[in-house]
Amino acid sequence: MPDYDAEADRYDETRGGVPRAAAAAEAVLRLIPPGARTLIDLACGTGLVTERLTRDGLRVYGADASYGMARKAVERVPGKVALADARRLPLPDAAVDAVSAVWLFHLVPFVDEIVAEAARVLRPGGVLIATVDKDAAHDVGSDIDRVLAPHRSSAGAFDRGDRVTAYAAVHGLEPADSTRFTGHGQGGTPRRTAEKLRSGYFTSWFRGGPRAIDTLATELAALPDQDRRRDDPRYRLVSYVRRG
């Protein structure tokens, strides 16, 4: 997992900035029940999404385990950010109406613990909203993806939708609605994809050794328009309701 303390100052500019954050926030708001009054945004990062989760009557808070990220977030959401592990939130039971986790589950091997904690702090009828299948979303059917296809596998993905749904069921959370949103600025280029491949960036889904990496990098270098971004991914956002 990246060192988010070190990345905090440049995180937004490398992750699609405001357009991607705005699309994510709009999607989260679509899945929050009309009567919800409180939301905690887990792994809120720099607060770029959190500050856009605005709706009349909805109070929004952020939590992040990285001091560097929380420091940035508090500039955007003053007085409403906690330095906290998503597995141990500083909240009593049944304290909030909604919990969001955008671009979190794909990073950590303890998704089940985060889901359990979300279920604990949700009131009956409250919702957990999370992105799932993030790596799969980056396969947009481009020429880059056709080169990489033989070496893709979602078997080990921490945020596989079926896996998250199973965790949710254990903790009394039932599947509800889902939606998708565009990851603006996240479309890959052949040149950048080859660089990421060589640096080990794709370890969550790549299946192959050094020889395969060399072969794929050569094939990627042969593609046209080396610096033209292919289509942006469409991320999947799902919600689970806390049974009463």
Side-chain angles (χ1 to χ4, degrees):
M1 191 164 66
D3 181 347
Y4 285 108
D5 283 342
E7 284 205 8
D9 288 333
R10 62 187 184 89
Y11 182 84
D12 293 336
E13 65 188 63
T14 63
R15 300 302 199 282
V18 170
R20 191 177 78 140
E26 289 169 10
V28 170
L29 289 170
R30 287 198 292 272
L31 298 181
I32 297 177
R37 292 292 176 264
T38 49
L39 162 71
I40 183 163
D41 187 28
L42 304 182
C44 67
T46 66
L48 200 62
V49 174
T50 317
E51 71 171 338
R52 287 167 172 77
L53 293 170
T54 58
R55 192 171 76 187
D56 287 346
L58 182 67
R59 300 191 305 279
V60 179
Y61 304 90
D64 203 287
S66 160
Y67 174 78
M69 289 293 194
R71 176 177 54 82
K72 298 290 288 186
V74 80
E75 295 173 4
R76 292 186 164 121
V77 194
K80 295 182 178 180
V81 177
L83 184 65
D85 189 315
R87 296 169 291 179
R88 293 180 293 276
L89 296 172
L91 292 170
D93 295 352
V96 297
D97 298 312
V99 174
S100 59
V102 180
W103 304 308
L104 170 60
F105 289 174
H106 70 287
L107 292 170
V108 295
F110 44 80
V111 174
D112 55 335
E113 296 178 58
I114 298 175
V115 172
E117 182 68 346
R120 182 187 71 79
V121 303
L122 280 171
R123 297 185 180 113
V127 294
L128 166 63
I129 300 167
T131 45
V132 296
D133 301 317
K134 184 174 184 286
D135 284 340
H138 281 266
D139 182 349
V140 297
S142 70
D143 51 353
I144 295 173
D145 296 313
R146 287 191 288 275
V147 169
L148 298 175
H151 295 274
R152 279 187 182 275
S153 174
S154 63
F158 302 140
D159 70 335
R160 260 179 36 193
D162 59 341
R163 188 168 286 161
V164 175
T165 296
Y167 296 148
V170 170
H171 299 290
L173 300 172
E174 297 179 344
D177 295 330
S178 66
T179 190
R180 291 184 183 271
F181 64 95
T182 300
H184 295 286
Q186 299 302 289
T189 71
R191 193 187 313 279
R192 183 65 181 132
T193 301
E195 292 171 355
K196 287 183 174 181
L197 191 62
R198 289 191 183 281
S199 69
Y201 190 87
F202 300 131
T203 53
S204 60
W205 59 259
F206 179 73
R207 299 296 175 265
R211 184 173 298 178
I213 291 174
D214 289 341
T215 299
L216 292 174
T218 298
E219 292 180 28
L220 290 167
L223 294 178
D225 304 317
Q226 282 286 297
D227 296 309
R228 177 178 63 81
R229 286 190 180 276
R230 276 41 173 184
D231 290 347
D232 287 328
R234 293 272 296 166
Y235 295 120
R236 183 172 172 234
L237 194 65
V238 297
S239 65
Y240 300 92
V241 177
R242 182 76 167 90
R243 291 195 292 263

